[in-house]
């Protein structure tokens, strides 16, 4: 299993990594997030959807501002 299969999106800039997990419901598998975090040590993980940032709000964010 490839590490990037653990996240919906991986954004990389320089030596910084951000994982983006998109969910349509409230539940998510913490094991997926933990595995990704353990292997890649991202700067942050962003949850998009009902359990995190609303998707419409996330789409308005300038990706540069995530870093």
């Amino acid at each position: 299993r490839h590490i990037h299969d653990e996240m919906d999106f991986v954004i990389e800039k320089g030596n910084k990594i951000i994982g983006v997990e998109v969910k349509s419901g409230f539940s998510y598998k913490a094991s997926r997030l933990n595995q990704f975090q353990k292997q890649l040590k991202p700067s942050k993980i962003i949850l998009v959807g009902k359990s995190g940032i609303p998707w419409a709000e996330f789409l308005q964010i300038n990706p540069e501002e995530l870093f």
Side-chain angles (χ1 to χ4, degrees), residues 4-67:
H4 292 96
D5 291 342
E6 302 296 331
M7 274 294 122
D8 291 321
F9 299 97
V10 177
I11 305 169
E12 186 174 359
K13 179 180 178 185
N15 62 349
K16 292 186 178 180
I17 295 174
I18 296 175
V20 180
E21 182 73 9
V22 181
K23 293 293 170 198
S24 59
F26 286 105
S27 66
Y28 63 90
K29 288 191 173 191
S31 62
R32 287 179 65 182
L33 300 181
N34 292 338
Q35 185 69 14
F36 178 79
Q37 192 164 29
K38 180 180 173 184
Q39 292 183 354
L40 290 181
K41 297 176 180 38
S43 300
K44 64 175 98 171
I45 295 176
I46 300 171
L47 294 174
V48 178
K50 293 181 180 180
S51 59
I53 300 171
W55 65 268
E57 183 180 324
F58 178 76
L59 292 177
Q60 293 178 13
I61 297 173
N62 177 344
E64 288 286 326
E65 294 176 10
L66 296 174
F67 294 93

